[in-house]
Amino acid sequence: MSAPSLVQNPPRAKMDTRTLVSMAMLTGIAYIVMLLSKSMPSVYGFLDFDFKDVIICIGGFTFGPFAAAIISILVAFIEMITISTTGPWGFLMNALATCAFCCTASFLYKKMHTKKGAVIGLACGVVCLVAVMLLWNYLVTPIYQGMPREAVADLLLPVFFPFNLAKGGMNMAATLLLYPPVVGALRRAGLVPQSQSGQGKTRSAGFLLFSLALLATFVVFALVLAGVI
């Protein structure tokens, strides 16, 4: 049996019991990944890198953009009532950022169900994340961080723009690397239907190297932003 690839069956619209169980499991995993991500260095004291978007994108790629939105909101809400200190405003920013990236990527992947479609969808998700968060950081950050709006405006390009670019780039690369093995595990557990795709392993090594290089590039970029290197 060939290894699972990024070319899978189109996401199912019907929310059956198996789909709901899978989404609940992905929500729990995303929350754990979020907790682990807190150990990473922050940028400017309050901007945290977060890899939960990888798990949520996997859910979106498998079950569609609506599922990605549900998981995004659930994880953000659970974070708000458990460990967050930023309250509803932090929940809003968290959900907006994750939905901007994951729902955009999942929607485009649903339309272009190929490896190329996955790359294009994730890249557009990064662009959407950066654009959306520039606007919402300008509007909301002064409220929950107690900063003058003029000070936030001065940080948009030198801080918020590169931070969200690095965060989105790392999540993009990690999604490309982890989606096939995670979906394969879900199939073996009977939580996701078996693929009907007959695609082989053509250029799989090159795609893996591309994903690894992309991840390494954005990890170094993130470490530079955090002042580690």
Side-chain angles (χ1 to χ4, degrees):
M1 181 181 294
S2 62
S5 71
L6 277 166
V7 182
Q8 313 292 349
N9 284 333
R12 295 168 298 158
K14 182 181 178 181
M15 288 286 184
D16 57 17
T17 301
R18 183 166 56 179
T19 300
L20 293 175
V21 170
S22 298
M23 288 173 57
M25 181 180 64
L26 290 169
T27 299
I29 295 172
Y31 179 77
I32 294 171
V33 170
M34 177 274 298
L35 292 177
L36 295 175
S37 298
K38 296 296 182 183
S39 62
M40 295 183 64
S42 61
V43 174
Y44 211 75
F46 67 92
L47 297 174
D48 296 322
F49 293 108
D50 193 345
F51 282 100
K52 73 174 181 294
D53 291 5
V54 177
I55 307 303
I56 296 172
C57 254
I58 289 172
F61 277 18
T62 307
F63 301 112
F66 182 63
I70 292 175
I71 300 172
S72 299
I73 294 170
L74 283 175
V75 176
F77 179 76
I78 296 170
E79 180 178 351
M80 180 187 72
I81 63 176
T82 53
I83 66 167
S84 177
T85 60
T86 54
W89 291 115
F91 162 76
L92 174 65
M93 298 292 280
N94 195 351
L96 282 171
T98 304
C99 286
F101 176 69
C102 298
C103 295
T104 301
S106 302
F107 176 79
L108 292 175
Y109 180 58
K110 184 178 180 181
K111 299 296 182 183
M112 299 178 285
H113 223 65
T114 62
K115 286 183 179 180
K116 180 179 178 181
V119 173
I120 291 174
L122 288 164
C124 289
V126 174
V127 172
C128 188
L129 167 67
V130 171
V132 166
M133 295 317 293
L134 281 177
L135 172 63
W136 284 94
N137 275 301
Y138 176 75
L139 294 174
V140 176
T141 299
I143 300 174
Y144 78 96
Q145 287 295 329
M147 301 171 63
R149 194 172 302 279
E150 294 77 11
V152 173
D154 291 339
L155 295 175
L156 289 179
L157 292 182
V159 176
F160 292 111
F161 176 83
F163 168 78
N164 285 301
L165 180 62
K167 176 183 174 182
M170 287 191 294
N171 281 309
M172 172 183 176
T175 300
L176 293 174
L177 286 169
L178 295 177
Y179 179 60
V182 171
V183 170
L186 291 174
R187 286 208 178 104
R188 289 190 292 274
L191 297 174
V192 173
Q194 295 297 318
S195 174
Q196 301 300 317
S197 172
Q199 176 166 331
K201 300 181 181 180
T202 306
R203 295 184 294 179
S204 60
F207 192 81
L208 177 63
L209 289 174
F210 164 76
S211 302
L212 287 170
L214 191 67
L215 180 60
T217 299
F218 281 105
V219 167
V220 171
F221 184 29
L223 293 175
V224 170
L225 289 176
V228 176
I229 58 176

